Amino acid sequence: MGEAISLAFPVVTLEGQVLLPAGALLSEQVLAEVAAAGRLVSREHVVLLAHGQIYDDLQRCLLLTPYAEIVGDRTLVDELMERMGAVRLPLPLLHALEHFRAHDFHTYRHILTVFALSTLIAEDVVPGYHARPGEVLSGPTHDFGKLCIPLAILRKSSPLTRQERLLLDHHPLAGQVLLTYYFGDHRHPAVIVARDHHERRDGSGYPRGISDLQPIVELVATCDVYDALLSPRPYRPLSFDNRTALEELTLMAEQGKLGWKSVAALVARNRKGQPTPSEVIVSRDRRGVPPAGNCYGTIVEDENRHPVAPRPTGAP
């Protein structure tokens, strides 16, 4: 697990149950205790795509540009939906998705799209992925820690204050604790992905600044950044176009933040004929232009609101 880190804020379930208070040390023992407490609760597990409007919403996501071109023909869409249809989640996590759908649609759509995208390119990046159910669960659960972030922060269109940024950066550790509880396993692949999907290979990520990332983490992290760049957000009225988003990912790979394997897999899916990642020569040219009006990463002081340096690109 590496060096233990303490929580800056509490981790609270959607029902208001405090799993861990602020200041709790996320040691092996503490997380094992959270997992044991979770196993004491009997929960129904439900097929993800059979719950509520998730199936229809996911279909609509896949019709949007560029995903319609990436996924390709109807046969591949059906195959993809069939793979995702095997996923079952504890009912409280499905209630969490309902919460996002009702109150923070950006996060809800993002979760579904990252799930679809990571499922699509998984075999290109993590051989045997679909034979390991625990890893399959990582796609649709990576951002569930945002349940612990005030909706006003998630939906804010102006720059965040330092305190608001600290709260937002709490979501990977919150996700680690929440999924530990609901899966009853602090070493579950989905728990690791929730904790580490904002880490970077050069150690520049958060919350722990580690550089040794599991392949499934890099897969979800790459899909997470890609979809975040392509999607309109409260802090960015216009999304990146597809070429510019891929160039941003290429730049992150050049800087050693993301692995080339995941980036090449995404580039390959965007090429005509969809060659294998090993056949793709990734262009280093920069012809894309990031959208105007993007205030992501800009921090303002809590009182005088003077802006300070933005965070690095690639951590939406």
Side-chain angles (χ1 to χ4, degrees):
M1 294 287 292
E3 185 177 348
I5 189 171
S6 61
L7 290 171
F9 305 96
V11 177
V12 185
T13 69
L14 190 60
E15 297 76 28
Q17 177 185 358
V18 179
L19 296 181
L20 287 176
L25 189 67
L26 297 182
S27 65
E28 183 86 4
Q29 179 180 345
V30 168
L31 289 167
E33 290 171 355
V34 172
R39 290 194 296 270
L40 293 175
V41 182
S42 177
R43 299 185 186 87
E44 181 182 2
H45 284 63
V46 178
V47 174
L48 173 63
L49 298 191
H51 185 78
Q53 301 180 68
I54 293 175
Y55 184 93
D56 291 338
D57 289 338
L58 184 52
Q59 287 267 33
R60 280 191 284 271
C61 289
L62 295 178
L63 292 175
L64 300 175
T65 300
Y67 293 111
E69 290 77 17
I70 292 173
V71 174
D73 60 28
R74 185 72 229 180
T75 299
L76 183 54
V77 172
D78 291 341
E79 290 177 0
L80 184 59
M81 296 296 285
E82 183 177 355
R83 288 184 209 163
M84 292 186 289
V87 170
R88 303 170 72 91
L89 290 177
L91 191 56
L93 294 182
L94 294 173
H95 291 161
L97 275 175
E98 291 175 352
H99 168 80
F100 286 131
R101 189 181 194 277
H103 302 291
D104 180 20
F105 198 84
H106 290 291
T107 295
Y108 171 75
R109 191 214 60 79
H110 176 66
I111 286 172
L112 295 185
T113 308
V114 169
F115 177 33
L117 195 58
S118 59
T119 302
L120 179 66
I121 70 170
E123 290 292 348
D124 297 331
V125 181
V126 187
Y129 169 89
H130 296 297
R132 299 194 290 273
E135 295 195 349
V136 176
L137 292 173
S138 303
T141 56
H142 78 287
D143 255 353
F144 272 42
K146 288 184 177 178
L147 285 171
C148 296
I149 312 305
L151 288 169
I153 293 177
L154 294 178
R155 299 188 300 209
K156 191 175 183 182
S157 58
S158 57
L160 299 178
T161 66
R162 289 181 184 275
Q163 184 67 11
E164 290 168 340
R165 182 75 239 184
L166 288 173
L167 268 164
L168 183 58
D169 287 354
H170 172 58
H171 83 269
L173 294 179
Q176 177 188 13
V177 175
L178 286 169
L179 296 184
T180 289
Y181 179 71
Y182 287 121
F183 287 126
D185 179 4
H186 64 294
R187 295 173 177 164
H188 193 288
V191 170
I192 305 306
V193 169
R195 181 193 66 190
D196 292 347
H197 70 281
H198 281 289
E199 301 288 1
R200 299 293 177 253
R201 295 184 76 172
D202 63 351
S204 65
Y206 69 96
R208 299 186 299 153
I210 63 172
S211 57
D212 184 16
L213 307 181
Q214 296 182 16
I216 183 62
V217 170
E218 287 208 274
L219 166 67
V220 174
T222 302
C223 295
D224 178 57
V225 173
Y226 181 61
D227 182 68
L229 293 173
L230 289 173
S231 309
R233 294 294 180 90
Y235 54 77
R236 185 186 60 233
L238 298 175
S239 61
F240 280 60
D241 64 75
N242 193 41
R243 180 185 180 88
T244 309
L246 290 171
E247 288 178 0
E248 289 288 327
L249 290 176
T250 301
L251 177 61
M252 292 179 71
E254 290 175 344
Q255 294 170 337
K257 297 180 185 299
L258 294 175
W260 278 108
K261 196 170 185 179
S262 296
V263 172
L266 273 176
V267 172
R269 288 288 177 177
N270 278 276
R271 293 281 173 85
K272 185 177 181 180
Q274 298 196 346
T276 64
S278 61
E279 296 173 327
V280 169
I281 298 176
V282 180
S283 172
R284 310 296 178 92
D285 293 340
R286 298 282 180 269
R287 288 186 280 175
V289 180
N294 179 13
C295 69
Y296 177 81
T298 303
I299 308 296
V300 296
E301 300 294 349
D302 295 81
E303 295 181 355
N304 57 23
R305 300 187 67 81
H306 292 310
V308 298
R311 293 169 56 85
T313 300

